[in-house]
């Protein structure tokens, strides 16, 4: 909880005033001071000022910076998550939420289907760290569509070791994209594959699927398909 002392709020107001006619370096210094102060209201107002003025700020600086917030990070994330932001800022918030312990799937789940590339990517990665069965059908759909975000979906589905994910990843080994094939093979390695399944994947009729699976299998220290 924020400290109910006038100096605390006054400091937040002073810091916010430094944003007037500021440079990018000044803005970063103001944000760092607000993280240290731990004043939710002042930090939210600062971020709103960034958005209202159309100021670009390095997304990684923002998401990493919020982790140094000295107040209640979960409370901050929820308050931020319930406000209107640009797609880029939403992606920043999801990256911040990903590194918190509290489950905020209710705020992130809708962004899987938002249609914005960067935002969808952040949401997919969120569900690798915060397992949620409601997200799995959407992740499977993204993987099957074989677009750019399928790369992240293939990686995240390694955290969902059930038959539906396993079969989808086997199919994705035949993707036209090498990075989807690579992540699918890596995710399959996290699952309980039988010797028969390994043998089938090693002898797949799809040359690219076969070669990628064998490559990933051997890169993990295995001697080859025929040892299983």
């Amino acid at each position: 909880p924020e400290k109910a002392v006038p100096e605390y709020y006054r400091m937040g107001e002073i810091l916010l005033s430094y944003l007037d006619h500021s440079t990018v370096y000044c803005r970063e210094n103001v944000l760092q001071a607000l993280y240290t102060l731990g004043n939710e209201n002042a930090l939210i107002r600062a971020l709103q000022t960034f958005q209202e003025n159309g100021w670009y700020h390095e997304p990684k600086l923002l998401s990493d910076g919020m982790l140094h917030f000295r107040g209640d990070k979960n409370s901050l994330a929820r308050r931020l998550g319930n406000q209107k932001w640009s797609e880029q800022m939403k992606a920043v918030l999801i990256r911040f939420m990903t590194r918190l312990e509290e489950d905020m799937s209710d705020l992130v789940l809708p962004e899987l289907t938002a249609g914005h590339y960067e935002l969808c990517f952040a949401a997919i990665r969120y569900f690798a760290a915060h397992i949620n069965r409601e997200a799995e059908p959407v992740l499977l759909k993204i993987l099957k569509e074989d677009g750019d975000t399928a790369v992240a979906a293939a990686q995240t589905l390694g955290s969902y070791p059930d038959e539906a994910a396993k079969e989808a990843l086997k199919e994705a080994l035949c993707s036209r994209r090498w990075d989807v094939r690579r992540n699918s093979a890596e995710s399959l390695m996290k699952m309980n594959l039988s010797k028969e399944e390994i043998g089938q994947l090693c002898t797949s009729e799809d040359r690219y699927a076969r070669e990628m699976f064998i490559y990933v299998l051997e890169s993990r220290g295995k001697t080859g398909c025929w040892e299983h």
Side-chain angles (χ1 to χ4, degrees):
E2 295 183 350
K3 307 165 192 173
V5 293
E7 291 78 7
Y8 178 73
Y9 297 108
R10 200 154 40 236
M11 180 60 73
E13 293 298 322
I14 291 170
L15 290 169
L16 287 170
S17 72
Y18 292 150
L19 292 177
D20 295 338
H21 311 293
S22 57
T23 64
V24 65
Y25 303 106
C26 178
R27 291 167 205 157
E28 175 62 16
N29 287 333
V30 168
L31 288 173
Q32 289 294 333
L34 289 172
Y35 301 145
T36 301
L37 187 62
N39 183 325
E40 276 185 27
N41 291 329
L43 179 56
I44 291 171
R45 282 176 58 195
L47 295 173
Q48 288 171 337
T49 300
F50 277 51
Q51 180 161 274
E52 288 162 8
N53 287 281
W55 293 336
Y56 174 81
H57 206 75
E58 171 58 42
K60 193 173 189 306
L61 277 179
L62 288 172
S63 56
D64 288 355
M66 290 180 200
L67 292 170
H68 299 294
F69 182 71
R70 288 195 176 178
D72 186 331
K73 295 183 185 67
N74 293 318
S75 172
L76 173 66
R78 283 212 164 270
R79 284 189 62 189
L80 288 168
N82 283 303
Q83 297 189 43
K84 296 284 187 183
W85 299 104
S86 65
E87 280 79 4
Q88 187 177 66
M89 187 60 190
K90 283 182 184 177
V92 166
L93 293 178
I94 291 174
R95 285 193 284 269
F96 171 48
M97 292 173 181
T98 299
R99 296 170 72 178
L100 301 179
E101 289 187 11
E102 186 174 317
D103 182 15
M104 299 187 184
S105 297
D106 56 311
L107 293 172
V108 182
L109 195 57
E111 307 305 343
L112 277 177
T113 54
H116 185 272
Y117 175 78
E118 186 181 357
L119 191 49
C120 184
F121 243 110
I124 291 169
R125 287 173 173 147
Y126 175 90
F127 288 110
H130 300 269
I131 308 305
N132 187 299
R133 290 298 168 186
E134 288 183 55
E136 186 177 1
V138 188
L139 293 169
L140 292 171
K141 183 173 182 290
I142 292 169
L143 178 63
K144 191 169 186 178
E145 289 170 352
D146 205 28
D148 289 341
T149 47
V151 181
Q155 184 177 50
T156 290
L157 283 164
S159 300
Y160 294 76
D162 58 25
E163 285 304 310
K166 185 191 288 186
E167 291 307 311
L169 289 165
K170 286 180 184 178
E171 287 182 24
L173 279 175
C174 300
S175 168
R176 60 192 172 84
R177 301 181 57 119
W178 73 269
D179 41 7
V180 171
R181 298 196 300 273
R182 171 63 182 264
N183 284 355
S184 295
E186 292 282 2
S187 286
L188 283 166
M189 292 296 163
K190 298 177 183 177
M191 300 187 176
N192 186 25
L193 295 175
S194 66
K195 289 184 179 179
E196 182 182 4
E197 286 176 312
I198 292 174
Q200 289 172 345
L201 291 170
C202 285
T203 56
S204 170
E205 293 181 2
D206 186 305
R207 172 192 165 189
Y208 296 108
R210 181 176 69 248
E211 289 180 352
M212 182 59 79
F213 183 77
I214 293 172
Y215 169 78
V216 171
L217 181 72
E218 294 182 345
S219 71
R220 295 173 73 89
K222 308 296 184 183
T223 54
C225 287
W226 321 117
E227 299 296 321
H228 299 277

